[in-house]
Amino acid sequence: MEKTINITLKVWRQKDARSKGAFETYSLKDISTESSFLEMLDILNEQLINEGKEPVVFDHDCREGICGMCSLYINGHPHGPDEDVTTCQLHMRKFKDGETITIEPWRSTAFPVIRDLIVDRTAFDKIMQAGGFVSVNTGGVPDANSIPISKVDADEAMDSASCIGCGACVAACKNASAMLFVSAKVSQLALLPQGKVEAARRAKAMVAKMDELGFGNCTNTAACEAECPKNVSISNIARLNREFLKAKLKD
């Protein structure tokens, strides 16, 4: 028999970045514990629409843990209390009957609120545009063994590339630092031969853009690593620091 729970939601509502926001409280009954968190929000919005009220605006796309758009701060944790999952992969079985669930948007000056639970994360796009790419022409698809790369380096590069840019690291950090995101994007290229050509320019440009956009400094609390849904390691931050220092020394 399907188990259901009754819950109370405290949801942040805010018209736009310039408006003052506030929590609003809603009650939901008979929510299946097998439903996902976003499905629960769909049920809430259906209830609000039927009552003639404005639905809660939240972000989503793939609902498969791939795109990172489902960026919700739930009960004090980015993406909620479960580990190694995005919000869309969080299920209601992680919550208890009668529990109050607090839902907020990411909190960062660099991520202004668009409406309710959606924030503007184009700051990450601007950081990527500053240097998170390879412009060298590598031609067509090469043979797998034509550019030998050690398995250790290949594995580390792939682990770094698993970052989906959701912003959970920024939301988890007390300083709203984007160092885990930036370091992962620098690492995935710094470890590969194709990324060596622009290595110095990349590190300096991405760090400069990160600072310009208002992200905070890293103080190594490792909250970003603990809350990252893709388990991106803070060892990438050490690599970013090394890449940045090498670039400065070349100057």
Side-chain angles (χ1 to χ4, degrees):
M1 185 177 178
E2 185 180 59
K3 184 180 178 182
T4 62
I5 58 175
N6 300 327
I7 54 173
T8 299
L9 300 178
K10 288 180 63 179
V11 182
W12 185 260
R13 306 299 304 266
Q14 187 172 340
K15 187 176 180 180
D16 53 48
R18 293 177 297 276
S19 302
K20 186 177 181 180
F23 284 106
E24 291 189 10
T25 303
Y26 308 103
S27 296
L28 288 179
K29 297 184 181 298
D30 300 323
I31 298 298
S32 169
T33 54
E34 296 307 308
S35 62
S36 73
F37 199 86
L38 295 189
E39 287 171 338
M40 178 275 294
L41 289 180
D42 290 336
I43 294 170
L44 168 65
N45 279 342
E46 185 176 352
Q47 177 177 302
L48 291 175
I49 291 169
N50 289 336
E51 293 172 355
K53 299 176 181 178
E54 281 285 324
V56 175
V57 180
F58 62 95
D59 225 342
H60 64 92
D61 189 5
C62 71
R63 297 201 178 202
E64 294 179 345
I66 298 170
C67 70
M69 291 182 68
C70 52
S71 47
L72 299 181
Y73 201 79
I74 304 164
N75 284 353
H77 295 276
H79 295 301
D82 207 351
E83 294 182 355
D84 306 334
V85 299
T86 51
T87 303
C88 60
Q89 297 172 301
L90 177 67
H91 284 78
M92 296 310 295
R93 56 179 170 267
K94 295 297 293 186
F95 301 94
K96 299 176 182 177
D97 186 36
E99 186 171 350
T100 297
I101 304 171
T102 303
I103 312 171
E104 303 171 72
W106 287 170
R107 303 290 191 182
S108 171
T109 302
F111 290 159
V113 172
I114 295 175
R115 188 177 180 91
D116 292 345
L117 302 174
I118 296 182
V119 299
D120 183 351
R121 289 178 296 168
T122 54
F124 272 8
D125 296 329
K126 293 175 182 176
I127 291 173
M128 291 298 289
Q129 289 166 3
F133 54 85
V134 174
S135 62
V136 61
N137 183 6
T138 57
V141 179
D143 181 78
N145 295 318
S146 64
I147 305 177
I149 301 170
S150 72
K151 187 177 187 307
V152 173
D153 287 343
D155 286 347
E156 281 196 60
M158 287 296 290
D159 288 344
S160 301
S162 67
C163 169
I164 57 176
C166 67
C169 51
V170 176
C173 179
K174 65 179 182 179
N175 307 317
S177 171
M179 281 289 280
L180 189 65
F181 167 77
V182 175
S183 65
K185 297 306 179 183
V186 166
S187 288
Q188 73 186 56
L189 297 175
L191 288 160
L192 302 177
Q194 296 92 329
K196 301 297 184 186
V197 178
E198 298 164 305
R201 176 190 171 278
R202 177 182 302 114
K204 290 187 295 182
M206 293 182 76
V207 169
K209 181 59 69 172
M210 174 181 66
D211 292 341
E212 175 193 323
L213 292 168
F215 290 102
N217 295 319
C218 174
T219 48
N220 289 310
T221 64
C224 53
E225 181 184 69
E227 299 287 2
C228 177
K230 299 301 178 181
N231 282 310
V232 175
S233 171
I234 58 171
S235 64
N236 288 301
I237 296 177
R239 182 177 294 108
L240 170 60
N241 288 334
R242 291 195 297 272
E243 290 288 314
F244 184 80
L245 288 172
K246 281 192 295 184
K248 286 295 186 182
L249 287 172
K250 284 184 180 179
D251 289 345

